[in-house]
Amino acid sequence: QVQLVESGGGLVRSGGSLRLSCAASGFLFRLIGMSWYRQGPGKERELVATISSTGQIINYADSVKGRFTISRDNTKSTVALQMNSLKPEDTAVYYCKSATNPPYWGQGTQVTVSS
């Protein structure tokens, strides 16, 4: 059974940092690309960052470039999102997603950035 479990969300002030983690199980994690998405209040879900199976190919949404860093540990089947210089507009539920067929989603973790 595939499971993606996010953790690390919380309440932080503007300019602060948080580190999200997604623990994966039930598939060959080391062979699968992973992504982080987010959905803010009243907004559509949007792609934040992607990382290839080896970690060599990484892409970011323009809105988070230079502030967020995606990484993975294939020995632990985890993918992380380090978020620095957080802004109120980063407030959202953050989800990890696997590039499997079909794709799988975690349950999400809430990030709230106060001004």
Side-chain angles (χ1 to χ4, degrees):
Q1 181 181 1
V2 173
Q3 278 196 311
L4 296 173
V5 180
E6 300 98 335
S7 61
L11 173 63
V12 64
R13 288 188 175 182
S14 182
S17 299
L18 281 174
R19 183 176 179 84
L20 306 182
S21 184
C22 172
S25 61
F27 62 97
L28 288 174
F29 181 82
R30 68 181 187 277
L31 300 181
I32 302 297
M34 297 294 294
S35 301
W36 283 97
Y37 282 72
R38 68 184 180 186
Q39 187 165 16
K43 299 181 181 180
E44 293 187 354
R45 193 170 296 190
E46 63 174 351
L47 178 64
V48 175
T50 63
I51 187 167
S52 64
S53 59
T54 62
Q56 290 183 321
I57 301 173
I58 290 175
N59 289 288
Y60 297 99
D62 288 343
S63 58
V64 307
K65 278 181 183 176
R67 300 188 298 122
F68 290 12
T69 302
I70 189 171
S71 62
R72 65 188 294 157
D73 184 340
N74 285 348
T75 66
K76 297 180 179 179
S77 297
T78 58
V79 58
L81 186 69
Q82 177 67 42
M83 306 186 295
N84 298 329
S85 302
L86 283 162
K87 305 175 181 180
E89 51 263 44
D90 294 318
T91 294
V93 178
Y94 285 72
Y95 301 88
C96 63
K97 176 190 171 186
S98 63
T100 49
N101 186 17
Y104 293 97
W105 296 83
Q107 83 289 350
T109 185
Q110 175 71 47
V111 172
T112 303
V113 185
S114 64
S115 56

